[in-house]
Amino acid sequence: MRLYAVVAAGGFRRYATYRVATAAGMVTNVVFGFILAYTYIALWEQRPGLGGYDLPQALTYVWLGQALLMTCAMMGGGFEDELMERIRSGGIAVDLYRPVDLQLWWLASDLGRAAFHLVGRGVVPLALGALAFELALPVSPLTWLAFLVSAALGVLVSFAVRFAVALSAFWLLDGAGVLQLSWLAGLFFSGMLLPLTLFPGLLGEAARALPWSSLLQVPADVLLGKVTGWELARAYAFQGGWALVLLGAGRVLQSAATRRVVVQGG
């Protein structure tokens, strides 16, 4: 475990070196935050209480989305491009023969990345949003702790999806198309564009049942106090269940890829 802790710390330091890119990304988050915030204000003035949120809660949802956008890699930007390139170049064969677990190695690195983006690109936009608008931020440290647990589970789900998608490059000539589809699904079904509670009927039920809702919708509801007590336990179980299922699927794909490399190498 010490090795993976070192890898996670290395992932944090790696992204911390790109200070100009981080500052530019932070500005982008703030700009889009203001655009979405004023859009939400116009919408909620016409439809108060839309989706079960009052206006301060809706604005909190907007700025929380900007804080978690890169943390949960809803638009990619994590390890997946590098892993797919190693598969295309054949360098993955060396990785699979190393005395470390491939999935745990990339998970540790991605956790370091997520921790940096939460601090580097999450705190400032949320703080600026709180200064510019009336947000419904909780005062209880326990609520913030519950949110951080939910956000961490969201990062696990995000990693598991992207790991499985990246491994598709073993069987596809180019996995870029699958990767882009997963990004689009992540943006839409995470609730980044609109809260999933606004989706009508079966579409809303399906969207809230898919793993991408763990990336934003569930953590946002935890922070806003929409789920407490047993509902909070159910939210954690939902996120943890998807994480286990998807990580398990990734291990199956990893085993199949290893056998493929061994057969071709032999």
Side-chain angles (χ1 to χ4, degrees), residues 14 24 31 37 49 54 76 78 80 108 113 121-122 127 141 160 185 188 194 200 209 217 232 242 251 262:
R14 175 184 179 183
V31 170
D54 57 27
E80 52 271 23
R113 176 207 59 79
R121 289 185 59 174
F188 186 77
L194 282 172
Q217 184 66 59
L232 179 60
W242 269 119
R251 297 205 72 83
V262 170

Side-chain angles (χ1 to χ4, degrees), residues 7-265:
V7 173
F12 187 98
R13 289 194 301 270
R14 175 184 179 183
Y15 283 88
T17 58
Y18 301 105
R19 299 176 183 176
V20 176
T22 299
M26 191 186 305
V27 171
T28 301
N29 287 135
V30 172
V31 170
F32 276 97
F34 274 97
I35 292 173
L36 286 173
Y38 284 112
T39 302
Y40 273 45
I41 288 174
L43 183 59
W44 257 257
E45 284 180 349
Q46 297 299 318
R47 297 284 301 276
L50 191 61
Y53 301 117
D54 57 27
L55 182 56
Q57 290 174 332
L59 293 174
T60 304
Y61 186 97
V62 168
W63 289 102
L64 187 61
Q66 295 304 309
L68 294 180
L69 178 63
M70 288 301 296
T71 303
C72 291
M74 298 178 209
M75 296 180 64
F79 67 94
E80 52 271 23
D81 289 325
E82 183 178 351
L83 177 55
M84 291 175 72
E85 178 57 34
R86 292 194 64 79
I87 294 173
R88 285 192 291 265
S89 66
I92 191 68
V94 177
D95 299 339
L96 291 171
Y97 280 111
R98 286 174 178 166
V100 294
D101 184 84
L102 182 71
Q103 188 183 55
L104 289 178
W105 175 280
W106 288 107
L107 173 59
S109 177
D110 198 59
L111 289 176
R113 176 207 59 79
F116 171 76
H117 281 309
L118 181 63
V119 176
R121 289 185 59 174
V123 173
V124 172
L126 186 60
L128 289 176
L131 289 174
F133 302 95
E134 179 187 355
L135 302 188
L137 295 174
V139 295
S140 172
L142 292 178
T143 303
W144 282 103
L145 179 60
F147 160 73
L148 289 176
V149 172
S150 182
L153 289 171
V155 171
L156 279 179
V157 173
S158 172
F159 165 81
V161 170
R162 289 177 288 124
F163 183 76
V165 169
L167 289 186
S168 69
F170 272 106
W171 294 273
L172 301 174
L173 293 177
D174 187 357
V178 179
L179 193 59
Q180 290 174 357
L181 286 175
S182 73
W183 295 346
L184 291 173
L187 278 176
F188 186 77
F189 289 112
S190 66
M192 186 65 200
L193 302 179
L194 282 172
L196 301 182
T197 53
L198 272 65
F199 290 16
L202 290 176
L203 176 61
E205 293 179 10
R208 290 188 291 272
L210 291 173
W212 292 285
S213 65
S214 299
L215 278 57
L216 175 56
Q217 184 66 59
V218 176
D221 283 341
V222 171
L223 185 70
L224 293 171
K226 295 292 184 178
V227 289
T228 57
W230 283 110
E231 289 295 321
L232 179 60
R234 288 180 59 186
Y236 286 162
F238 172 80
Q239 292 178 290
W242 269 119
L244 289 175
V245 168
L246 292 169
L247 287 171
R251 297 205 72 83
V252 171
L253 291 174
Q254 178 179 318
S255 298
T258 302
R259 289 194 298 269
R260 184 184 180 93
V261 169
V262 170
V263 169
Q264 291 179 346

